[in-house]
Amino acid sequence: MKLFIRLIFIILFISLSLYITSIESERYESTAITLLKDLEKKQKISLSEVLLGQGSSTLQDSKLLELYIRSYEMYDYLDHIYHLSAYYSSKSLDPLHRLYPDTLFPSLQKNKANLLHRYNEDLITVYDDPSGTLKLSFIHTDPQKAQQILQSIIQHAEETINTFARENATIALQFIKKQRKEKRKLFIEAIKKLIAYQNRHHTIDPNVDVERKITILGELETELVKNEVEYATKLKTFNPNSREVK
């Protein structure tokens, strides 16, 4: 019995060794490190250097980023460029890593779920808390393709995040404009009531008071425009939910 078990073990070991050395596809790993900045700190940064700013937690942001780059939306984007669906069912991959249009084994069937699973197996993400960096790696039988796909993942994730930021900025700006219109109306009404009260009680020269109110209103509108420009500028760098932008 022991001899039989040992024989089986030897056969399995030899088979596995032959598979690894002779059959398994040679695959290459391309790696990049992205820096996740804490945007609540007053630091000048570039969007080309960061993918996602810290709203409440850098770790939380890295997890949200990881969820997106592992989503089917990202896979579908890459598939249109690099034909990943054809790659995962091609002879470039060994039989165990390959997907098949017609097979009795569910895990080897070429379908949406298995294609996404193969993509996620080739995509490696490691978050480093002390440095606030996210290490991304992608594995492919072609080293050049592995590097290109990884660059596309980073670029498309950054573009998507920037699009979300612009949409949030548009909504926020519309809200600011509405608030400005309402506040200006209330301010003018308050000035009119104050002038009427002063005229009735002769507390101050009306002409002087009107000039002073107009000056104040002009200064406030100038300050508002200045703040709007500063707000729009910060949205290009800061996370819309960060303390700086709020």
Side-chain angles (χ1 to χ4, degrees):
M1 185 66 180
K2 290 183 178 180
L3 182 62
F4 179 72
I5 295 175
R6 185 177 299 178
L7 182 62
I8 292 177
F9 178 78
I10 293 173
I11 293 174
L12 289 175
F13 178 77
I14 294 174
S15 300
L16 182 62
S17 300
L18 288 173
Y19 174 79
I20 294 174
T21 57
S22 305
I23 302 175
E24 186 178 22
S25 304
E26 187 174 4
R27 301 195 297 165
Y28 304 88
E29 180 178 332
S30 180
T31 302
I33 297 178
T34 61
L35 180 61
L36 300 175
K37 286 278 189 178
D38 183 356
L39 295 184
E40 292 187 357
K41 296 179 180 179
K42 294 184 178 180
Q43 296 177 344
K44 185 177 180 181
I45 58 175
S46 170
L47 284 178
S48 62
E49 296 175 347
V50 293
L51 293 180
L52 187 62
Q54 177 172 349
S56 57
S57 168
T58 305
L59 177 60
Q60 181 181 5
D61 289 341
S62 70
K63 292 301 181 183
L64 290 174
L65 177 62
E66 182 179 354
L67 284 174
Y68 177 71
I69 64 179
R70 289 187 177 278
S71 67
Y72 188 80
E73 181 180 340
M74 176 63 80
Y75 173 81
D76 189 56
Y77 169 79
L78 296 172
D79 187 32
H80 280 81
I81 302 175
Y82 302 104
H83 310 292
L84 291 180
S85 296
Y87 162 71
Y88 284 121
S89 59
S90 69
K91 294 183 178 180
S92 299
L93 295 171
D94 58 78
L96 290 183
H97 287 95
R98 194 185 311 162
L99 296 177
Y100 302 88
D102 300 314
T103 180
L104 298 177
F105 301 99
S107 61
L108 296 179
Q109 291 176 358
K110 184 182 179 181
N111 53 41
K112 182 177 178 179
N114 287 337
L115 286 169
L116 182 62
H117 179 69
R118 286 290 190 275
Y119 162 73
N120 280 307
E121 283 185 335
D122 290 339
L123 179 63
I124 303 170
T125 58
V126 180
Y127 175 73
D128 183 66
D129 191 30
S131 63
T133 57
L134 183 66
K135 180 181 177 182
L136 302 176
S137 301
F138 192 78
I139 301 173
H140 198 281
T141 54
D142 185 340
Q144 187 176 0
K145 278 285 182 65
Q147 184 180 25
Q148 291 173 349
I149 291 173
L150 186 60
Q151 290 174 347
S152 295
I153 290 173
I154 295 174
Q155 181 180 356
H156 185 62
E158 182 179 357
E159 290 173 352
T160 302
I161 291 166
N162 289 340
T163 299
F164 290 156
R166 284 193 295 269
E167 290 176 353
N168 289 337
T170 300
I171 295 173
L173 189 57
Q174 290 175 350
F175 176 76
I176 289 173
K177 288 180 178 179
K178 181 180 178 181
Q179 289 291 307
R180 181 185 65 176
K181 185 177 180 180
E182 293 176 355
K183 297 298 182 183
R184 188 176 187 275
K185 182 179 179 181
L186 291 173
F187 181 69
I188 292 175
E189 290 296 328
I191 289 178
K192 290 180 179 179
K193 292 180 180 178
L194 179 60
I195 292 174
Y197 174 84
Q198 291 174 339
N199 287 338
R200 285 196 306 269
H201 297 278
H202 306 287
T203 57
I204 194 171
D205 184 353
N207 293 327
V208 175
D209 193 45
V210 170
E211 291 176 1
R212 186 163 63 87
K213 297 302 186 298
I214 292 175
T215 302
I216 294 174
L217 182 60
E219 291 176 352
L220 288 174
E221 288 183 338
T222 302
E223 185 68 21
L224 180 60
V225 172
K226 178 183 175 183
N227 288 335
E228 286 178 348
V229 172
E230 182 181 359
Y231 177 78
T233 302
K234 286 189 175 184
L235 277 176
K236 296 178 181 179
T237 303
F238 288 78
N239 189 301
N241 296 320
S242 68
R243 184 174 65 250
E244 288 284 346
V245 175
K246 286 184 179 179

